[in-house]
């Protein structure tokens, strides 16, 4: 019953042309949606990605008083908390940078990551009614949700420049690394949240585990403390966490201290491998998403 | 145009595990018995269905509850994959399986037209140029800036249908969506469907309302137990459907 892939080479949905009417023909069969056909379709449906981002941002304005300013308020409040307890009371070192700037710069990309994971992992179950009734590449939902967080990240970056000017920290060429690191972070966030979203549809437990997981991950990454205080015997394991390399080098790029190349290589390759695994897994899970949910 | 070749769809009757605990509990089963496929009990919602719909043709899909109509439409709309078989879809498809999917209650009529149109595969530019036309068709021109949560259910249906009908797709798939509107609006929809067909749009329309199938379609398909059991002129197919129902109620009485 399954061997239906006879007259199309590889079982993928193919758009061929109807010889008479010149209409594109779409062939639907088992296994016709794969990551590769999806990439083409995501590109074709890029307006939908844009609309979903627009929907989220617009809804926030309609439903909250502060709207997008929450993107700035959240990391600011967290910075104040950590600056009081870690910076003033416990006096955690911060590699010679004022602790407030140190913490804000880390919490800035950390809140992007944690919120991308939180909202991304809910992006499929929160739109289950769409998945059931309208077809579009499913990966568009976690993708749009990560993009919304990128907009937030852009907004939350404004106070960082303010802080750096206030503390008279120099702006250097090494800042050119920042977009690359953000791209790596966005890829990691998308791949992880896609797979978590697909798992969340099957096992609602995922939603309960997420906050704890993210909390633990925060302390395993050099966000509110510098990686330099990690003992030598732990260092080689420490940088296996891809976030460690990202956060550490993000700061190095911002403040003009030397980039840790080996940390960058390790976290870069782990990000790539992990993302490929997650994306494959996502497609295995997404096969018949429209059926059950 | 649309061509379905021997499509079938099976579902696993045993419910999949919905919590991690259940998944763990079933793990030994899956490891030790994974080779034994007969453990899975399958339900065939659609069995070996083949049919062709020519360009500009409208076909009605009728049958009892659970006959496989909705599953068939879900396969045609790409919501779910067929277990086997193939479908060729010519041109852009718009499918309306439910009224107002993707509408957001906090958004205004205009915003929802934009969002819904893009969800159904149109571009924002096209939707902006058509927004007024859609509003006029739905008779909601004065309510375009009102959030749809304040709409009555009739207004809601009108807006949803107006969006789908004004997309001018090559294939339009409708699942029991007209039943909710009033007679006047239904008439308007029928006229719109005739007009779409004149422009070459292919329509597939599942309904329990036999009158509207007769009104709209040139041909009807009758499904029962996942199989396609009749396909011909609507009058004839409706007759064999009624016959099927009579037989069934007869055997229930005896």
């Amino acid at each position: 019953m399954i061997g239906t892939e006879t007259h199309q080479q590889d079982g993928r949905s193919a758009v061929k042309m109807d010889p008479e009417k010149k209409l594109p023909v779409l062939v639907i069969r088992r296994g016709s949606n794969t990551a590769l056909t999806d990439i083409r379709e995501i590109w074709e449906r890029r307006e939908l990605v844009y609309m979903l981002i627009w929907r989220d941002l617009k809804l926030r304005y309609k439903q909250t008083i502060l709207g997008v300013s929450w993107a700035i308020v959240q990391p600011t409040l967290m910075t104040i908390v950590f600056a009081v307890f870690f910076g003033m009371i416990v006096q955690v070192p911060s590699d010679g940078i004022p602790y407030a700037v140190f913490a804000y710069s880390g919490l800035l990309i950390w809140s992007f990551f944690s919120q991308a994971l939180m909202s991304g992992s809910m992006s499929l179950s929160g739109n289950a009614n769409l998945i059931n009734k309208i077809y579009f590449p499913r990966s568009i939902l976690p993708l749009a949700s990560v993009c919304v967080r990128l907009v937030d990240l852009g907004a939350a970056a404004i106070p960082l420049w303010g802080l750096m000017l206030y503390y008279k920290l120099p702006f250097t060429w090494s800042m050119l690394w920042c977009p690359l690191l953000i791209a790596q972070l966005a890829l990691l966030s998308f791949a992880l949240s896609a797979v978590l979203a697909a798992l969340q549809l099957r096992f609602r437990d995922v939603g309960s585990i997420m906050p704890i997981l993210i909390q633990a991950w925060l302390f395993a990454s050099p966000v509110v403390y510098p990686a330099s205080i990690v003992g030598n015997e732990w260092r080689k394991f420490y940088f296996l966490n891809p976030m460690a390399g990202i956060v550490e080098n993000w700061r190095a790029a911002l403040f003009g201290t030397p980039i840790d190349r080996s940390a960058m290589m390790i976290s870069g390759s782990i990000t790539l491998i992990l993302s490929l695994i997650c994306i494959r897994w996502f497609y295995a899970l997404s096969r018949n998403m429209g059926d059950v949910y | 145009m649309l061509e379905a070749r021997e499509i079938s769809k099976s579902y696993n009757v045993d419910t999949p595990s919905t919590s991690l605990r259940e998944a763990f509990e079933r793990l030994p089963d899956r490891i030790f018995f994974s080779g034994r496929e007969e453990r899975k009990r399958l339900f065939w919602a659609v069995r070996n269905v083949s049919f062709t719909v020519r360009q500009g043709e409208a076909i009605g899909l009728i049958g009892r509850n659970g006959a496989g109509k909705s599953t068939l439409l879900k396969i045609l709309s790409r919501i779910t994959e067929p277990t086997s078989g193939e479908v060729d879809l010519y041109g852009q498809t718009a499918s309306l399986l439910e009224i107002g999917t993707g509408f957001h209650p906090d958004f205004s009529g205009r915003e929802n037209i934009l969002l819904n149109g893009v969800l159904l595969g149109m571009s924002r530019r096209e939707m902006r140029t058509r927004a007024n036309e859609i509003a006029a068709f739905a008779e909601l021109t004065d309510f375009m800036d009102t959030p749809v949560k304040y709409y009555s259910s009739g207004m809601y249906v009108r807006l949803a249908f107006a969006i789908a009908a004004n997309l001018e797709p090559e294939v339009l798939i409708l699942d029991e969506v007209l039943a909710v509107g009033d007679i006047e609006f239904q008439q308007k929809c029928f006229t719109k469907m005739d007009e779409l067909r004149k422009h070459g749009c292919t329509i597939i329309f599942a309904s329990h309302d036999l009158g509207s199938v007769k009104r709209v379609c040139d041909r009807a398909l009758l499904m029962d137990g996942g199989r396609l059991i009749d396909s011909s002129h609507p009058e004839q197919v409706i007759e064999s459907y009624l016959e099927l129902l009579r037989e069934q109620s007869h055997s229930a009485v005896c």
Side-chain angles (χ1 to χ4, degrees), chain A residues 1 4 7 21 24-31 33 41 45 47-48 50 55 58-59 62-63 130-135 202-203 205 287-288 290-291, chain B residues 9 11 18-20 55 74-75 77-91 98 101-102 104 106-107 111 115 118-119 121 123-124:
Chain A
M1 287 297 262
T4 51
H7 64 268
K21 296 280 173 199
V25 183
L26 180 84
V27 185
I28 301 171
R29 69 162 74 76
R30 185 183 162 92
N33 282 336
E41 251 189 300
R45 301 294 301 270
E47 292 228 323
L48 178 56
Y50 176 85
R55 180 185 73 169
K58 193 133 192 172
L59 272 179
K62 291 192 187 206
Q63 294 173 340
L130 292 185
I131 296 175
N132 263 327
K133 301 292 178 189
I134 302 181
Y135 175 76
R202 295 274 281 268
F203 310 110
D205 316 54
R287 167 149 278 199
N288 275 321
D291 277 346
Chain B
K9 173 79 190 178
Y11 288 102
T18 51
S19 72
L20 277 179
Q55 202 186 359
K74 270 191 165 187
I75 293 170
S77 322
R78 301 179 72 192
I79 310 275
T80 183
E81 290 182 331
T83 308
S84 66
E86 282 186 352
V87 184
D88 287 354
L89 283 172
Y90 292 71
E98 182 192 60
T101 307
H104 200 288
D106 286 333
F107 280 171
E111 287 165 338
L115 182 61
V118 174
L119 268 169
S123 73
R124 278 179 298 149

Coordinates of all heavy atoms in Angstrom, one line a residue, chain A residues 1 4 7 21 24-31 33 41 45 47-48 50 55 58-59 62-63 130-135 202-203 205 287-288 290-291, chain B residues 9 11 18-20 55 74-75 77-91 98 101-102 104 106-107 111 115 118-119 121 123-124:
Chain A
M1 N 0.8 -1.2 0.0 CA 0.0 0.0 0.0 C 0.9 1.3 0.0 O 0.4 2.3 -0.4 CB -0.9 0.0 1.3 CG -2.0 -1.0 1.2 SD -3.2 -0.6 -0.1 CE -4.4 0.3 0.7
T4 N 4.0 4.1 -3.3 CA 3.3 4.9 -4.2 C 4.2 5.8 -5.0 O 3.8 6.5 -5.8 CB 2.2 5.7 -3.6 OG1 2.8 6.4 -2.5 CG2 1.1 4.9 -3.1
H7 N 6.0 7.2 -10.0 CA 6.4 8.0 -11.2 C 6.9 9.4 -10.8 O 7.0 10.2 -11.7 CB 5.3 8.0 -12.2 CG 4.0 8.6 -11.8 ND1 3.0 7.9 -11.2 CD2 3.6 9.9 -11.8 CE1 2.0 8.7 -10.9 NE2 2.4 9.9 -11.2
K21 N -3.1 24.4 -19.6 CA -3.5 25.7 -19.0 C -2.4 26.4 -18.3 O -2.6 27.5 -17.8 CB -4.6 25.4 -17.9 CG -5.8 24.8 -18.5 CD -6.7 25.9 -19.0 CE -7.9 25.3 -19.7 NZ -8.6 26.2 -20.6
P24 N 0.3 25.6 -12.3 CA 1.2 24.7 -11.5 C 0.4 23.5 -10.9 O -0.7 23.7 -10.5 CB 1.8 25.6 -10.4 CG 0.8 26.7 -10.3 CD 0.1 26.9 -11.6
V25 N 1.0 22.4 -11.0 CA 0.3 21.2 -10.5 C 1.0 20.8 -9.2 O 2.2 20.6 -9.1 CB 0.4 20.0 -11.5 CG1 -0.4 18.8 -10.9 CG2 -0.2 20.4 -12.8
L26 N 0.2 20.6 -8.2 CA 0.8 20.1 -6.9 C 0.4 18.7 -6.7 O -0.7 18.3 -6.8 CB 0.2 21.0 -5.8 CG 0.8 20.6 -4.4 CD1 2.1 21.3 -4.2 CD2 -0.2 21.0 -3.3
V27 N 1.4 17.8 -6.4 CA 1.1 16.4 -6.2 C 1.2 16.1 -4.7 O 2.2 16.4 -4.0 CB 2.1 15.5 -6.9 CG1 1.8 14.1 -6.8 CG2 2.2 15.9 -8.4
I28 N 0.1 15.6 -4.2 CA 0.0 15.3 -2.7 C 0.2 13.8 -2.6 O -0.5 13.0 -3.2 CB -1.3 15.7 -2.1 CG1 -1.6 17.2 -2.3 CG2 -1.4 15.3 -0.7 CD1 -3.0 17.6 -2.0
R29 N 1.1 13.4 -1.8 CA 1.2 11.9 -1.4 C 1.9 11.8 -0.1 O 2.4 12.8 0.5 CB 2.0 11.2 -2.5 CG 3.4 11.5 -2.6 CD 4.2 10.5 -3.3 NE 3.9 10.6 -4.8 CZ 4.5 11.5 -5.6 NH1 5.2 12.4 -5.1 NH2 4.3 11.5 -6.9
R30 N 1.9 10.6 0.4 CA 2.6 10.3 1.6 C 4.1 10.7 1.6 O 4.7 10.4 0.6 CB 2.5 8.8 1.9 CG 3.0 8.4 3.3 CD 2.9 6.9 3.3 NE 3.8 6.3 4.3 CZ 3.3 6.1 5.6 NH1 2.1 6.3 5.9 NH2 4.2 5.6 6.5
G31 N 4.5 11.4 2.6 CA 5.9 11.9 2.6 C 6.2 13.0 1.6 O 7.4 13.3 1.3
N33 N 5.9 16.2 2.2 CA 6.5 17.3 2.9 C 7.8 17.0 3.6 O 7.8 16.2 4.5 CB 5.5 17.9 3.9 CG 4.4 18.7 3.3 OD1 4.6 19.2 2.2 ND2 3.3 18.8 4.0
E41 N 8.8 26.4 0.2 CA 7.4 26.9 0.5 C 7.5 28.0 1.6 O 6.6 28.9 1.5 CB 6.6 25.8 1.0 CG 5.5 25.4 0.0 CD 4.5 24.4 0.6 OE1 4.9 23.3 1.0 OE2 3.3 24.8 0.6
R45 N 5.9 31.6 1.1 CA 4.9 32.1 2.1 C 5.5 33.1 3.1 O 5.0 33.2 4.2 CB 4.3 31.0 2.9 CG 3.6 29.9 2.1 CD 2.4 30.4 1.3 NE 1.3 30.9 2.2 CZ 0.3 30.2 2.7 NH1 0.3 28.9 2.5 NH2 -0.6 30.7 3.5
E47 N 5.3 36.2 3.3 CA 4.3 37.2 3.8 C 3.5 36.7 5.0 O 3.1 37.5 5.8 CB 3.3 37.5 2.6 CG 3.9 38.2 1.5 CD 3.1 39.4 1.1 OE1 1.9 39.3 1.1 OE2 3.7 40.4 0.7
L48 N 3.3 35.4 5.0 CA 2.6 34.8 6.2 C 3.5 34.9 7.4 O 3.0 35.3 8.5 CB 2.3 33.3 5.9 CG 1.6 32.6 7.1 CD1 0.3 33.3 7.5 CD2 1.3 31.1 6.7
Y50 N 5.6 37.3 7.9 CA 5.5 38.7 8.3 C 4.2 39.0 9.0 O 4.1 39.7 10.0 CB 5.6 39.5 7.0 CG 5.4 41.0 7.2 CD1 6.4 41.8 7.6 CD2 4.1 41.5 7.1 CE1 6.2 43.1 7.9 CE2 3.9 42.9 7.3 CZ 5.0 43.7 7.7 OH 4.7 45.0 8.0
R55 N 0.9 40.1 13.7 CA -0.2 39.8 14.6 C 0.2 39.8 16.1 O -0.4 40.4 16.9 CB -0.7 38.4 14.2 CG -1.9 37.9 15.1 CD -2.3 36.5 14.8 NE -1.3 35.5 15.3 CZ -1.5 34.2 15.4 NH1 -2.7 33.7 14.9 NH2 -0.6 33.4 15.9
K58 N 1.1 43.4 17.2 CA -0.1 44.2 17.3 C -1.0 43.8 18.5 O -1.5 44.6 19.2 CB -0.9 44.0 16.0 CG -2.0 45.0 15.9 CD -2.0 45.6 14.5 CE -2.9 46.8 14.5 NZ -2.9 47.6 13.2
L59 N -1.1 42.5 18.7 CA -1.9 42.0 19.8 C -1.3 42.5 21.2 O -2.0 42.8 22.1 CB -1.9 40.5 19.9 CG -3.0 39.8 19.0 CD1 -2.8 38.3 19.1 CD2 -4.3 40.2 19.6
K62 N -2.5 45.8 21.8 CA -4.0 45.8 22.1 C -4.2 45.3 23.5 O -5.2 45.7 24.2 CB -4.8 45.0 21.1 CG -4.8 45.7 19.7 CD -5.8 45.0 18.8 CE -5.6 45.6 17.4 NZ -6.8 45.6 16.6
Q63 N -3.4 44.4 24.0 CA -3.7 43.7 25.2 C -2.9 44.1 26.4 O -3.3 43.8 27.5 CB -3.6 42.2 25.0 CG -4.6 41.6 24.0 CD -4.4 40.2 23.7 OE1 -3.3 39.7 23.8 NE2 -5.4 39.5 23.2
L130 N -5.4 26.4 13.8 CA -4.9 26.7 12.4 C -4.3 25.4 11.8 O -4.6 25.1 10.7 CB -3.8 27.7 12.4 CG -4.1 29.1 12.8 CD1 -2.9 30.0 12.6 CD2 -5.2 29.6 11.9
I131 N -3.6 24.7 12.6 CA -2.9 23.4 12.1 C -4.0 22.4 11.6 O -3.8 21.7 10.7 CB -2.1 22.8 13.2 CG1 -0.9 23.8 13.6 CG2 -1.5 21.5 12.8 CD1 -0.1 23.3 14.7
N132 N -5.1 22.4 12.3 CA -6.2 21.5 12.0 C -6.9 21.9 10.7 O -7.6 21.0 10.1 CB -7.2 21.6 13.1 CG -7.1 20.5 14.0 OD1 -6.7 19.4 13.6 ND2 -7.3 20.7 15.3
K133 N -6.9 23.2 10.3 CA -7.9 23.6 9.3 C -7.2 24.3 8.1 O -7.9 24.4 7.1 CB -8.9 24.6 9.9 CG -9.7 24.0 11.0 CD -10.6 22.9 10.6 CE -11.4 22.4 11.7 NZ -12.2 21.2 11.4
I134 N -6.0 24.8 8.2 CA -5.4 25.4 7.1 C -4.0 24.9 6.9 O -3.3 24.7 7.8 CB -5.3 27.0 7.3 CG1 -6.7 27.6 7.5 CG2 -4.7 27.7 6.1 CD1 -6.7 29.1 7.7
Y135 N -3.7 24.7 5.6 CA -2.3 24.2 5.4 C -1.3 25.3 5.1 O -1.6 26.3 4.4 CB -2.2 23.2 4.2 CG -0.8 22.9 3.9 CD1 -0.2 22.0 4.7 CD2 -0.1 23.6 3.0 CE1 1.2 21.7 4.6 CE2 1.3 23.3 2.8 CZ 1.9 22.4 3.6 OH 3.2 22.2 3.5
R202 N 2.4 16.6 21.6 CA 2.2 15.3 22.0 C 2.1 15.1 23.5 O 1.3 14.5 24.1 CB 3.3 14.4 21.5 CG 3.5 14.2 20.1 CD 2.6 13.1 19.6 NE 3.2 11.8 19.8 CZ 3.9 11.2 18.9 NH1 4.3 11.8 17.8 NH2 4.3 10.0 19.1
F203 N 3.1 15.8 24.2 CA 3.2 15.6 25.6 C 3.1 17.0 26.3 O 4.0 17.8 26.2 CB 4.6 15.0 26.0 CG 4.9 13.8 25.2 CD1 5.9 13.8 24.3 CD2 4.2 12.6 25.5 CE1 6.2 12.7 23.6 CE2 4.6 11.5 24.8 CZ 5.6 11.5 23.8
D205 N 3.5 17.8 29.1 CA 4.5 17.9 30.1 C 5.6 18.9 29.8 O 6.2 19.6 30.7 CB 5.2 16.6 30.4 CG 4.2 15.4 30.5 OD1 3.5 15.2 29.5 OD2 4.2 14.7 31.4
R287 N 4.8 15.0 10.8 CA 4.2 14.3 9.6 C 2.7 14.4 9.6 O 2.1 14.7 8.6 CB 4.7 12.8 9.7 CG 3.9 11.9 8.9 CD 4.8 10.8 8.5 NE 5.6 11.2 7.4 CZ 6.3 10.4 6.6 NH1 6.2 9.1 6.8 NH2 7.0 10.9 5.6
N288 N 2.0 14.0 10.7 CA 0.6 14.0 10.6 C 0.0 14.9 11.7 O -1.0 14.6 12.4 CB 0.0 12.6 10.7 CG 0.0 12.0 9.3 OD1 -0.3 12.7 8.3 ND2 0.3 10.7 9.2
G290 N -1.8 17.5 11.6 CA -3.2 17.9 11.4 C -4.2 16.9 11.8 O -5.4 17.1 11.8
D291 N -3.7 15.6 12.1 CA -4.7 14.6 12.4 C -5.2 14.6 13.8 O -6.4 14.6 14.0 CB -4.0 13.2 12.2 CG -3.9 12.8 10.8 OD1 -4.7 13.4 10.0 OD2 -3.2 11.8 10.5
Chain B
K9 N -6.7 6.4 3.6 CA -6.1 7.0 4.8 C -6.5 6.1 6.0 O -7.7 5.8 6.2 CB -6.7 8.4 5.0 CG -6.4 9.1 6.4 CD -5.0 9.6 6.3 CE -4.5 10.0 7.7 NZ -3.1 10.5 7.7
Y11 N -6.1 5.4 10.3 CA -5.7 5.9 11.6 C -5.5 4.8 12.5 O -6.1 3.7 12.4 CB -6.8 6.8 12.1 CG -7.0 8.1 11.4 CD1 -8.0 8.3 10.5 CD2 -6.1 9.2 11.7 CE1 -8.1 9.5 9.9 CE2 -6.3 10.4 11.1 CZ -7.3 10.6 10.2 OH -7.4 11.8 9.5
T18 N -0.4 10.4 25.6 CA -0.4 11.8 25.6 C 0.4 12.4 26.8 O 0.5 13.6 26.9 CB -1.9 12.3 25.8 OG1 -2.4 11.6 26.9 CG2 -2.7 12.1 24.6
S19 N 1.0 11.6 27.6 CA 1.9 12.1 28.6 C 3.2 11.3 28.6 O 3.2 10.2 28.1 CB 1.2 12.0 30.0 OG 1.2 10.7 30.4
L20 N 4.2 11.9 29.1 CA 5.5 11.3 29.2 C 5.4 10.0 29.9 O 6.0 9.0 29.6 CB 6.5 12.2 29.8 CG 7.1 13.2 28.9 CD1 8.1 14.1 29.7 CD2 7.9 12.5 27.7
Q55 N -12.1 21.2 -14.8 CA -12.0 22.6 -14.5 C -13.4 23.2 -14.7 O -14.1 22.9 -15.6 CB -11.1 23.3 -15.5 CG -10.6 24.6 -14.9 CD -9.7 25.4 -15.9 OE1 -9.5 24.9 -17.0 NE2 -9.3 26.5 -15.5
K74 N -9.7 16.9 4.1 CA -8.5 17.2 4.8 C -7.3 16.8 4.0 O -6.2 17.5 4.0 CB -8.4 16.5 6.2 CG -9.0 17.3 7.3 CD -8.6 16.6 8.6 CE -8.9 17.5 9.8 NZ -8.3 16.9 11.1
I75 N -7.4 15.7 3.3 CA -6.3 15.3 2.5 C -6.1 16.2 1.3 O -5.0 16.7 1.0 CB -6.5 13.8 2.0 CG1 -6.5 12.8 3.1 CG2 -5.5 13.4 0.9 CD1 -6.9 11.4 2.8
S77 N -6.9 19.3 1.2 CA -6.4 20.6 1.7 C -5.0 20.5 2.2 O -4.5 21.5 2.8 CB -7.3 21.1 2.8 OG -8.6 20.9 2.5
R78 N -4.4 19.3 2.2 CA -3.0 19.1 2.7 C -2.9 19.2 4.2 O -1.8 19.4 4.7 CB -2.0 20.0 2.1 CG -2.0 19.9 0.6 CD -1.0 20.9 0.0 NE 0.4 20.5 0.2 CZ 1.4 21.3 0.1 NH1 1.2 22.6 -0.4 NH2 2.6 20.9 0.3
I79 N -4.0 19.1 4.9 CA -3.9 19.1 6.4 C -3.3 17.8 6.9 O -2.6 17.8 7.9 CB -5.3 19.3 7.0 CG1 -6.0 20.4 6.4 CG2 -5.2 19.4 8.5 CD1 -5.8 21.8 6.9
T80 N -3.6 16.7 6.2 CA -3.1 15.4 6.6 C -2.7 14.7 5.3 O -3.2 15.0 4.2 CB -4.2 14.7 7.4 OG1 -3.6 13.4 7.8 CG2 -5.4 14.4 6.6
E81 N -1.7 13.8 5.5 CA -1.2 13.1 4.3 C -2.0 11.9 4.1 O -2.5 11.2 5.0 CB 0.2 12.6 4.6 CG 1.3 13.6 4.7 CD 2.6 13.0 4.9 OE1 2.7 11.9 5.5 OE2 3.6 13.6 4.5
P82 N -2.2 11.5 2.8 CA -2.9 10.2 2.6 C -1.9 9.1 3.0 O -0.7 9.2 2.9 CB -3.1 10.2 1.1 CG -2.1 11.1 0.5 CD -1.8 12.2 1.6
T83 N -2.5 7.9 3.4 CA -1.6 6.8 3.7 C -1.0 6.2 2.5 O 0.1 5.7 2.4 CB -2.4 5.7 4.5 OG1 -3.0 6.4 5.6 CG2 -1.5 4.6 5.0
S84 N -1.9 6.2 1.4 CA -1.4 5.8 0.1 C -2.2 6.5 -1.0 O -3.2 7.1 -0.7 CB -1.5 4.3 -0.1 OG -2.8 3.9 -0.1
G85 N -1.7 6.5 -2.2 CA -2.4 7.2 -3.2 C -1.9 8.6 -3.5 O -1.0 9.0 -2.7
E86 N -2.4 9.2 -4.5 CA -1.9 10.5 -4.9 C -3.1 11.5 -5.3 O -4.1 11.0 -5.8 CB -1.0 10.4 -6.1 CG 0.3 9.9 -5.8 CD 1.2 9.9 -7.1 OE1 0.7 10.2 -8.2 OE2 2.4 9.7 -6.9
V87 N -2.8 12.7 -5.1 CA -3.8 13.7 -5.6 C -3.0 14.8 -6.4 O -1.9 15.2 -6.0 CB -4.5 14.5 -4.4 CG1 -5.5 15.4 -5.0 CG2 -5.1 13.5 -3.4
D88 N -3.5 15.1 -7.6 CA -2.9 16.2 -8.4 C -3.8 17.4 -8.3 O -5.0 17.3 -8.6 CB -2.8 15.8 -9.9 CG -1.7 14.8 -10.1 OD1 -0.9 14.5 -9.2 OD2 -1.6 14.4 -11.3
L89 N -3.3 18.5 -7.8 CA -4.1 19.7 -7.7 C -3.6 20.7 -8.7 O -2.4 21.0 -8.7 CB -4.0 20.3 -6.3 CG -4.8 19.7 -5.1 CD1 -4.3 20.3 -3.8 CD2 -6.2 19.9 -5.4
Y90 N -4.5 21.2 -9.6 CA -4.0 22.2 -10.6 C -4.3 23.6 -10.1 O -5.5 24.0 -10.0 CB -4.7 21.9 -11.9 CG -4.2 20.6 -12.5 CD1 -4.6 19.3 -12.0 CD2 -3.4 20.5 -13.6 CE1 -4.2 18.1 -12.5 CE2 -3.0 19.3 -14.2 CZ -3.4 18.1 -13.6 OH -3.0 16.9 -14.1
G91 N -3.3 24.4 -9.9 CA -3.5 25.8 -9.6 C -3.7 26.0 -8.1 O -3.5 25.1 -7.3
E98 N -13.8 25.3 8.0 CA -14.5 25.7 9.2 C -14.6 27.2 9.1 O -13.8 27.9 8.5 CB -13.6 25.3 10.4 CG -14.2 25.7 11.7 CD -13.1 25.6 12.8 OE1 -12.1 26.3 12.7 OE2 -13.3 24.8 13.7
T101 N -11.6 30.2 10.8 CA -10.3 29.7 11.3 C -9.3 30.8 11.1 O -9.2 31.4 10.0 CB -9.8 28.5 10.5 OG1 -10.8 27.5 10.4 CG2 -8.6 27.9 11.1
G102 N -8.6 31.1 12.2 CA -7.6 32.1 12.1 C -8.0 33.5 12.3 O -7.2 34.4 12.4
H104 N -8.9 36.5 14.6 CA -8.6 36.8 15.9 C -9.7 37.8 16.5 O -9.9 38.8 15.9 CB -7.2 37.5 16.0 CG -6.7 37.3 17.5 ND1 -7.2 38.1 18.5 CD2 -5.8 36.5 18.0 CE1 -6.6 37.8 19.6 NE2 -5.8 36.8 19.4
D106 N -9.8 40.0 18.7 CA -9.4 41.3 19.0 C -9.1 42.2 17.8 O -8.9 43.4 17.9 CB -8.2 41.4 19.9 CG -8.5 41.0 21.3 OD1 -9.7 41.2 21.7 OD2 -7.6 40.4 22.0
F107 N -9.0 41.5 16.6 CA -8.7 42.3 15.4 C -10.0 42.7 14.7 O -11.0 42.1 14.8 CB -7.9 41.4 14.4 CG -6.5 41.3 14.8 CD1 -5.6 40.4 14.1 CD2 -5.9 42.1 15.8 CE1 -4.3 40.4 14.4 CE2 -4.6 42.1 16.1 CZ -3.7 41.2 15.4
E111 N -8.5 44.0 9.5 CA -7.3 43.3 9.9 C -7.4 41.8 9.7 O -6.5 41.1 9.3 CB -6.9 43.6 11.4 CG -6.4 45.0 11.6 CD -6.4 45.4 13.0 OE1 -7.1 44.9 13.9 OE2 -5.6 46.4 13.3
L115 N -5.2 39.2 7.5 CA -4.6 38.0 8.1 C -5.1 36.7 7.5 O -4.3 35.8 7.1 CB -4.9 38.0 9.6 CG -4.3 36.9 10.5 CD1 -2.8 37.0 10.4 CD2 -4.8 37.1 11.9
V118 N -3.9 36.1 3.9 CA -2.5 35.7 3.8 C -2.4 34.2 4.3 O -1.6 33.4 3.7 CB -1.6 36.6 4.6 CG1 -0.2 36.1 4.6 CG2 -1.6 38.0 3.9
L119 N -3.2 33.9 5.3 CA -3.1 32.5 5.8 C -3.6 31.5 4.7 O -3.1 30.4 4.5 CB -4.1 32.3 7.0 CG -3.5 32.5 8.4 CD1 -4.6 32.6 9.4 CD2 -2.6 31.3 8.7
G121 N -3.1 32.0 1.6 CA -2.1 31.9 0.5 C -2.1 33.1 -0.4 O -1.4 33.1 -1.5
S123 N -1.3 37.3 -1.2 CA -0.4 38.3 -0.8 C -1.1 39.5 -0.1 O -2.3 39.7 -0.4 CB 0.5 38.8 -2.0 OG -0.3 39.7 -2.8
R124 N -0.4 40.2 0.7 CA -1.0 41.4 1.4 C -1.5 42.4 0.4 O -2.6 43.0 0.6 CB 0.1 42.0 2.3 CG 0.2 41.3 3.6 CD 1.3 42.1 4.4 NE 2.5 42.0 3.8 CZ 3.5 43.0 3.9 NH1 3.2 44.0 4.6 NH2 4.6 42.9 3.2

